[in-house]
Each structure stands twice: as C-alpha cells, then as structure tokens.
Amino acid sequence: QGPTSPVPDRAAMAAVGVNHPAPLNVDLKTPVDVNAPIDARDIDLVQQTFARVAMMGSNAIGRLLFMNIFKIAPEAVKLFPMANCDANMWRPGSALEVHVLKVVETVATAVSLLKDLDTLVPVLRGLGLKHVGYGVQPAHYDVVGQALIATLQLSLGRHFTEPVKNAYLKVWTVIKANMICDNYQT
C-alpha cells in the first residue's frame, strides 16, 4: 500500500471559510436591484469581496485590470504613454506597473470610503478632472467598468454572484457619475 492523500471533510473545509483572513459575512445570494440607490448591504458586499480580492496583491489585480482594459479596448493603450510600444511594459518597476499600483490603491481607497460619500465624492470629482487632462473621454469609463467586472469575476470565482456583480455595478455608476460630472462641459 502506498501513501494516500487525505480528503478534507466538510467541517474542515467550512472552517477554512470561517477562518479566512477576509471573511464574507454578507449574504451573496439575495438579489440586488441594480437600479436602486446604494444601500448598506451593497456597501458590505463590495467592501467584503474587495478585501478578498485585495489579498491577491495590488500588482496582480492591477495587471489583470489593465489587461482586461486593453483586451476590451486595444486602442486604450495610447492613453498610457508608459505602455505604448513597450514590449516590456509589465516588467517589475516599469512606469506602467507604478501606475497600475496607484490605480488599485485608489480603487481600494474608494471602496473604503463608500460609507463616507462626503469625503469620497470630492476626491472622485478631482480625479475625474485630472483624467480629462490625460485625454480620457466619458465612454472610457464604460470600458474600465467592464474591465473591473471581468477582473472581479475572475478574482472572486464562485463568490462573484449576480448580487455581488450588481452591487459593484451600482458603486461603479456612482464613481463614474462623479468622475464625469461637470468635467466635460464646454
């Protein structure tokens, strides 16, 4: 007889979920109305699931997000001079990597401030104004939203339920609206 690999029992597997460093204590299955205003449950869904995503590391999440952006809209690479025509744009320490880390840090900050919109909204509006100067157009926010959802779906796996997706869509709608706001009026 050779060695056998132990099969974990249900109790052991359940303990892993309970003892996870980023536990999910919110109901992932009850529907979320994407057209309703953001509520406390939406914020909990986003904050708890984002804590789990963040455990993958800012670099991994950022690369995945930007790969999704460039997959959805290959022309978007032109908005990032540090990536354009650089065969090694993903190398450690590259200008794109530095930018990617800043983006993920900003998303994490926004997620952490969802219960404090009085602080978050001016930050988003200022960030949106900066992006006007980078050549970002309102339609680009839809691309980023799609890329974010794709990134979350891959990162969360089975925890990316329809209610989780809808909670993120509601939050993204608020982020997008505040980053665009009056910034594109002529």
Side-chain angles (χ1 to χ4, degrees), residues 167-183:
Y168 274 98
L169 288 171
K170 289 168 75 170
V171 167
W172 182 252
T173 299
V174 169
I175 290 171
K176 174 181 154 182
N178 281 287
M179 289 185 74
I180 292 173
C181 64
D182 309 353
N183 292 331

Side-chain angles (χ1 to χ4, degrees), residues 90-167:
W90 297 112
R91 76 184 182 288
S94 69
L96 183 60
E97 181 184 61
V98 170
H99 180 72
V100 159
L101 292 173
K102 285 180 187 176
V103 169
V104 174
E105 181 182 310
T106 301
V107 171
T109 299
V111 167
S112 74
L113 290 173
L114 288 173
K115 292 181 181 175
D116 184 7
L117 292 180
D118 290 341
T119 301
L120 179 57
V121 166
V123 171
L124 292 174
R125 290 184 177 187
L127 192 58
L129 185 58
K130 282 175 76 174
H131 280 76
V132 171
Y134 302 143
V136 172
Q137 297 298 313
H140 294 149
Y141 289 95
D142 293 330
V143 171
V144 175
Q146 291 171 34
L148 178 62
I149 294 299
T151 300
L152 294 165
Q153 183 175 14
L154 185 62
S155 302
L156 287 168
R158 67 184 174 87
H159 298 296
F160 190 76
T161 60
E162 195 68 19
V164 170
K165 176 183 175 182
N166 286 346

Side-chain angles (χ1 to χ4, degrees), residues 49-69 90 100-101 103-105 107-108 147-148 150-156:
T49 56
F50 192 79
R52 202 161 268 208
V53 169
M55 292 186 68
M56 293 177 62
S58 296
N59 198 326
I61 296 305
R63 283 180 184 223
L64 185 55
L65 176 63
F66 274 78
M67 286 180 191
N68 281 322
I69 290 170
W90 297 112
V100 159
L101 292 173
V103 169
V104 174
E105 181 182 310
V107 171
L148 178 62
T151 300
L152 294 165
Q153 183 175 14
L154 185 62
S155 302
L156 287 168

Side-chain angles (χ1 to χ4, degrees), residues 68-89:
N68 281 322
I69 290 170
F70 297 153
K71 179 180 176 185
I72 293 166
E75 68 281 1
V77 76
K78 295 175 189 165
L79 292 169
F80 303 93
M82 74 285 279
N84 206 8
C85 300
D86 183 356
N88 296 311
M89 67 183 181

